[in-house]
Amino acid sequence: MNIIQLQYFIDSAESGSFTETAKKHGITVPAVSQSISQLELELEVTLFTRSKKGIALTQDGFKARQYARTILTNVRNMRNELSQSKSINTGNIVIATIPGMVSLVTDTTITFMGIYPHINVQLLEGDNTAVMNQVMKGEADMGFVSLSRESQNDSFTWEPVIRGEAVIVVNKQSPLRFLTAITGSELHNEVFVIYKDAYIERIAAELISGDSGNRIALTTNNTQAIMQMVSRGNAITIATDYIVNTMPEKFKNGVVSIPIGTYKKYPNYLWRITKKDVEVSAVIKEYTQQLFANLE
């Protein structure tokens, strides 16, 4: 049994004619008939009834057609996947990302380069605006940004990676650690260190406004500085939960994340963006799949 035999069998079953199958493949009718006969011999069944009016599937033929279709589909999928893998054995990929995702993107890159050692990966870091500009100018093949759905524009193709919600992040010794949710009234004389992002800054402004003792001591895109201040108990911060989940274990083990009830209905998303109307390459698709796997 071989793939050609199965293809002749499927084509003959669908057309009801060895002649049509022969025309389709540019061979003789006896060649098709002989191929089907060999297949019947191997399977030890009769696939077609033959008469002057043509051919018709037997009961066994109907069963065999279902299996043959599955086999041919699997073979086609295998060829496509192998062809795609072959096309990304070498090349370059430039990834722009917000600082909060550097840890996840780095881990994904290490895994990806282990699978495809001849792919050269370049990582660019910047805020949401910088990432979008780099993708728009063609300086990056794709970018990862953290934005709400309302922030999308038609210049990019937006692929949602993960949905997240805002949380307050405190040291494990903070009295706030026992709360199940924060609305703002629980915050008194708190020192905040804030990630420079419009979504986070808006939440901070609303939460802090309820108590004049609360203050923002630092606004930065340096996630390392934020992690150090929070883990040491010098300040608290606001983040999207998926950003916290991608932080190094050393940081996560020293902090507690508390949901912000008011903002559950205003979720934020991590997006993979590519330039609009530019076909996403096989290497970008493969990289994104690996990133999805690392998030699970």
Side-chain angles (χ1 to χ4, degrees):
M1 183 190 308
N2 57 53
I3 301 302
I4 295 298
Q5 285 178 316
L6 294 179
Q7 190 63 64
Y8 290 168
F9 167 55
I10 290 294
D11 290 342
S12 298
E14 291 179 350
S15 66
S17 168
F18 289 159
T19 300
E20 291 302 318
T21 299
K23 289 180 181 179
K24 179 178 179 179
H25 293 278
I27 59 176
T28 64
V29 174
V32 174
S33 179
Q34 182 179 6
S35 178
I36 299 297
S37 295
Q38 289 174 346
L39 182 59
E40 290 175 319
L41 185 63
E42 289 186 48
L43 296 175
E44 298 182 351
V45 296
T46 300
L47 298 173
F48 294 104
T49 57
R50 298 159 171 82
S51 67
K52 292 182 179 180
K53 294 182 179 180
I55 58 174
L57 284 171
T58 63
Q59 186 173 359
D60 287 330
F62 278 108
K63 294 178 182 178
R65 180 174 64 176
Q66 180 178 351
Y67 284 105
R69 282 175 172 169
T70 300
I71 292 170
L72 291 177
T73 297
N74 288 336
V75 169
R76 183 165 55 251
N77 291 340
M78 177 182 66
R79 284 173 174 166
N80 289 339
E81 186 169 337
L82 291 175
S83 176
Q84 185 181 78
S85 295
K86 183 179 179 181
S87 69
I88 60 176
N89 277 338
T90 60
N92 301 295
I93 178 172
V94 181
I95 304 165
T97 183
I98 55 174
M101 295 306 298
V102 168
S103 178
L104 175 63
V105 172
T106 300
D107 289 343
T108 301
T109 300
I110 292 171
T111 303
F112 186 80
M113 293 178 71
I115 301 171
Y116 302 103
H118 300 296
I119 295 289
N120 299 315
V121 180
Q122 181 181 353
L123 185 61
L124 306 177
E125 182 181 341
D127 59 20
N128 288 321
T129 301
V131 170
M132 289 190 287
N133 285 337
Q134 286 163 337
V135 174
M136 176 57 63
K137 293 177 181 178
E139 296 171 357
D141 299 299
M142 64 176 168
F144 292 103
V145 295
S146 176
L147 292 167
S148 63
R149 285 190 179 276
E150 293 73 23
S151 302
Q152 295 182 24
N153 64 60
D154 295 334
S155 300
F156 305 99
T157 298
W158 300 78
E159 176 73 21
V161 178
I162 190 171
R163 178 185 186 274
E165 295 174 350
V167 294
I168 292 283
V169 186
V170 303
N171 181 274
K172 278 194 171 180
Q173 305 305 315
S174 169
L176 297 174
R177 69 187 186 278
F178 299 110
L179 298 176
T180 56
I182 286 179
T183 61
S185 61
E186 307 87 350
L187 302 174
H188 303 289
N189 298 322
E190 294 290 346
V191 177
F192 283 78
V193 54
I194 299 298
Y195 182 76
K196 187 172 178 57
D197 173 88
Y199 177 74
I200 298 298
E201 290 176 323
R202 180 170 60 121
I203 297 174
E206 293 186 17
L207 290 178
I208 292 174
S209 63
D211 190 318
S212 59
N214 295 324
R215 68 187 182 90
I216 298 176
L218 177 67
T219 301
T220 179
N221 283 135
N222 189 324
T223 55
Q224 186 68 27
I226 294 174
M227 288 190 290
Q228 287 179 358
M229 293 186 71
V230 175
S231 61
R232 291 175 181 175
N234 301 118
I236 65 176
T237 192
I238 301 169
T240 309
D241 54 3
Y242 60 75
I243 295 289
V244 179
N245 292 335
T246 60
M247 293 295 182
E249 290 296 325
K250 181 180 179 180
F251 171 70
K252 287 193 294 184
N253 291 338
V255 301
V256 175
S257 296
I258 309 165
I260 304 176
T262 308
Y263 284 88
K264 281 185 176 292
K265 58 184 177 181
Y266 301 115
N268 214 34
Y269 293 82
L270 174 67
W271 304 92
R272 185 204 72 187
I273 60 170
T274 52
K275 196 171 181 180
K276 190 77 170 180
D277 300 326
V278 174
E279 184 178 357
V280 177
S281 67
V283 65
I284 291 179
K285 291 178 181 177
E286 186 76 8
Y287 186 95
T288 305
Q289 289 182 359
Q290 187 60 57
L291 185 134
F292 285 162
N294 285 351
L295 277 170
E296 294 177 354

